[in-house]
Amino acid sequence: MSRRWYAGLALIVLLAVALAGCDGGASTATARTVSPTATAPSGPTSWPTVTPSGTPCRDYMSQQSSIIRAGDLLVAPAFADTETTLYQLPDGTPLQPLEVPQQSSNGQFAGWPVSTLGASDIYAAVCNGSTATAHTVQGARVKLAGFTAYSGQLSAWDYCAGYYARPAGVTPNNCDRGTAPTDEMLQAEFASDAPVGTIVAATQSAPPAEGFGPLPAVLPPGSVMYLHLGLTAPVAQGTYAFAVSITVDGAQLPFTGAASLLLAPIGHSWNGQGCTSSAMQAQIPPATNPPTPYICPTS
């Protein structure tokens, strides 16, 4: 059962896995909800659209409708990678044993918010689809593309800590908490009250351990570069959408599709171990066949 649930994690890392084909390298007091959008904000229109052929970018481009094509460069939507795997429960969930619903075909749990908690920053990636021409990546800008206020009391399930079911008890889920590939480490700092539409320049926050070297860096033909963008976000609680524009050869590429982060403190944490208390045990029904999974509040 846990393997079936773990399929939901594929939605988060799908983009990073697909981009790897481009021959490239790349609570908890605060929760962040990941929900990449498919439509990029409008950007410069001076870049011609071409179809690279015979390169590692070709097959990837043909399978991704949200890829931005800028000359022979391919830019992926911004995405987030989770260091922990948390799921948001519906607002107002009673503090009692909760039966974990069936997982839907898109990897979410039926009736729960479409969100994945635990991301702390975002990533962007650019692939050089040329067979002969190198390009120079000089930096990136991050745009606050949207904001929706959140005033609920956030409840989150630590998926990796597992669930409870009779008669087996607590069953942890098999989590491989890897990280997305990273070639360049950048930081984007927004003012505490920054409005929607604000654009900030990201600065290099750490020297790369290997790969392309510090920015500006040459992106050879057929290669992909991953930019890891740490965010200092505004302070208001809510869902923020962040898009990225990469600077290449002295020009700004169009802004990517946005990665959305729900920034709000977790009010209640849930897992399988919480169901072992005497108060929760008294509320859990007898064993069923197949076993019924439950999670319970720990705080």
Side-chain angles (χ1 to χ4, degrees):
M1 181 177 295
S2 61
R3 177 175 298 177
R4 171 171 56 81
W5 294 350
Y6 188 62
L9 300 179
L11 292 180
I12 305 171
V13 299
L14 176 62
L15 185 58
V17 172
L19 274 171
C22 292
D23 190 33
S27 158
T28 303
T30 300
R32 304 169 185 257
T33 299
V34 182
S35 179
T37 62
T39 303
S42 60
T45 58
S46 58
W47 292 87
T49 297
V50 298
T51 302
S53 60
T55 75
C57 298
R58 178 190 56 194
D59 293 338
Y60 172 56
M61 180 194 67
S62 67
Q63 299 172 23
Q64 301 292 327
S65 60
S66 53
I67 288 292
I68 294 173
R69 308 178 191 181
D72 51 19
L73 297 170
L74 309 177
V75 185
F79 64 100
D81 179 52
T82 54
E83 297 177 358
T84 59
T85 305
L86 307 177
Y87 283 90
Q88 183 184 357
L89 308 185
D91 286 348
T93 297
L95 299 180
Q96 61 191 39
L98 175 66
E99 181 177 341
V100 178
Q102 182 74 24
Q103 195 175 26
S104 60
S105 60
N106 67 357
Q108 295 296 322
F109 292 91
W112 289 10
V114 179
S115 60
T116 302
L117 308 179
S120 59
D121 33 32
I122 62 174
Y123 294 78
V126 56
C127 193
N128 183 356
S130 173
T131 59
T133 303
H135 295 281
T136 299
V137 178
Q138 288 136 332
R141 299 187 302 168
V142 181
K143 178 180 181 179
L144 177 51
F147 173 75
T148 302
Y150 176 79
S151 59
Q153 188 170 53
L154 189 60
S155 289
W157 170 34
D158 182 350
Y159 174 88
C160 298
Y163 59 92
Y164 178 91
R166 300 188 190 275
V170 178
T171 301
N173 285 312
N174 181 23
C175 287
D176 180 10
R177 287 173 167 169
T179 57
T182 297
D183 295 309
E184 306 291 347
M185 295 285 295
L186 303 172
Q187 182 71 25
E189 298 192 6
F190 288 85
S192 61
D193 58 350
V196 171
T198 299
I199 298 174
V200 300
T203 58
Q204 192 136 38
S205 57
E210 56 185 352
F212 300 99
L215 298 177
V218 174
L219 182 63
S223 296
V224 61
M225 179 184 291
Y226 294 88
L227 306 180
H228 179 166
L229 295 143
L231 298 172
T232 300
V235 298
Q237 296 181 19
T239 300
Y240 291 83
F242 293 100
V244 180
S245 172
I246 301 174
T247 308
V248 182
D249 297 337
Q252 294 291 149
L253 300 187
F255 277 98
T256 65
S260 296
L261 310 177
L262 171 59
L263 307 183
I266 293 177
H268 300 290
S269 297
W270 298 64
N271 57 34
Q273 188 63 37
C275 296
T276 61
S277 71
S278 57
M280 296 298 162
Q281 285 283 300
Q283 301 178 66
I284 297 176
T288 58
N289 187 19
T292 300
Y294 291 90
I295 55 175
C296 298
T298 62
S299 63

